[in-house]
Amino acid sequence: MTVDAHPDTGRRKAELAANLAALRGRMQSACDAAARSIDELVVVAVTKTFPATDVRLLAGLGIRDIGENRDQEAAPKAAVCADLPLSWHFVGQLQSNKARSVAGYADVVQSVDRARLVRVLDAAAGATSRRLGCFIQVSLDPPGGAGRPPKPRGGAEPGEVSALAAAIASAEHLDLCGVMAVAPIGADPRPAFEHVVEISANLVREHPTAGAISAGMSGDFEAAILAGATHLRVGALLLGRRPPAR
Ligand SMILES: *Cc1c(COP(=O)(O)O)cnc(C)c1O
């Protein structure tokens, strides 16, 4: 790669380094308040809409986990970054017909929310001889149903988690990691995160090694740390503002 030859690369690297240092400072304060160690936390840098050159710079700054939410964008980015020591987390809603592509580069799918996806991901991982970590995405929005709009962001109902976990745990090529959630937009995230932590506690009773909790984004990661999150999915705070979601 010749990215270092780009005149703006040094400036962008300094910007990302400053953003990362600020994030780590705020994470440390939240950990102090929660009497937790920052070493328990994994930062998944969500690089959607940003170029592969940013992924490369983040890797140089010590980031090891990258999050993407669209296969069309993630697949080529992961391909040009294949030389880097990174774990790729798919965090977006995943259509079954994209599962094979995603299983070709992702190490973790954080958005598993239905049994059909479990079957398709297991088959796809098996076909590429890879193992795939899975988080069950839990919906914290009010239930959909008659008269209500469909769920905007996917996710299983809390009552579906146990059956999905059993399906993932018994799949040959999948590893059950834990739960993932996105807090409802525009509301206090704390009750939502407390609910996820409670769901996680129930899950861990049946699956002791599935204790990961992916919760918290740029706007609410401190509340997630206080609640007990293990994985923070941080985009804008690290990389800058994105154009509005498509
Ligand atoms: C975009 C995205 C994030 C990161 O959001 P920021 O607010 O930019 O930190 C986290 N999780 C998911 C599922 C996302 O799609």
Side-chain angles (χ1 to χ4, degrees):
M1 290 286 289
T2 55
V3 287
D4 287 324
H6 195 283
D8 286 339
T9 299
R11 201 182 59 193
R12 181 61 169 157
K13 182 159 191 171
E15 186 174 283
L16 293 176
N19 291 349
L20 184 57
L23 172 66
R24 291 237 167 90
R26 288 175 58 183
M27 286 169 60
Q28 186 61 62
S29 299
C31 284
D32 291 346
R36 298 184 61 188
S37 164
I38 197 167
D39 301 335
E40 298 170 21
L41 299 175
V42 176
V43 173
V44 179
V46 180
T47 51
K48 63 190 183 197
T49 78
F50 291 96
T53 49
D54 280 351
V55 175
R56 194 163 285 279
L57 291 174
L58 287 168
L61 293 168
I63 289 285
R64 289 293 169 262
D65 294 86
I66 297 293
E68 286 282 337
N69 74 335
R70 291 170 70 243
D71 176 56
Q72 305 91 296
E73 181 182 342
K77 237 187 254 186
V80 298
C81 293
D83 59 311
L84 299 172
L86 294 171
S87 289
W88 290 80
H89 298 243
F90 193 85
V91 302
Q93 279 190 268
L94 181 53
Q95 295 167 298
S96 300
N97 63 0
K98 297 281 167 61
R100 179 169 293 271
S101 171
V102 168
Y105 58 86
D107 299 282
V108 179
V109 175
Q110 291 206 1
S111 46
V112 178
D113 62 357
R114 56 197 191 278
R116 174 163 160 72
L117 196 50
V118 174
R119 288 192 295 273
V120 178
L121 286 172
D122 187 38
T128 53
S129 300
R130 306 181 72 216
R131 295 200 70 78
L132 205 50
C134 293
F135 285 69
I136 298 173
Q137 183 180 351
V138 183
S139 171
L140 300 174
D141 295 316
R148 289 211 175 88
K151 298 275 188 131
R153 289 168 297 173
E157 295 300 328
E160 298 169 332
V161 169
S162 179
L164 270 177
I168 295 167
S170 63
E172 201 178 333
H173 308 283
L174 306 181
D175 297 314
L176 179 62
C177 302
V179 290
M180 182 275 247
V182 180
I185 293 166
D188 180 356
R190 286 174 297 181
F193 290 150
E194 279 158 22
H195 192 189
V196 181
V197 168
E198 186 185 309
I199 291 166
S200 167
N202 290 331
L203 178 69
V204 167
R205 268 194 284 281
E206 291 171 13
H207 303 277
T209 61
I213 302 174
S214 176
M217 319 198 327
S218 291
D220 56 19
F221 71 91
E222 284 140 324
I225 291 172
L226 286 165
T230 62
H231 288 62
L232 312 175
R233 307 179 311 273
V234 181
L237 209 57
L238 272 180
L239 290 131
R241 287 182 52 185
R242 289 182 298 271
R246 284 148 295 177

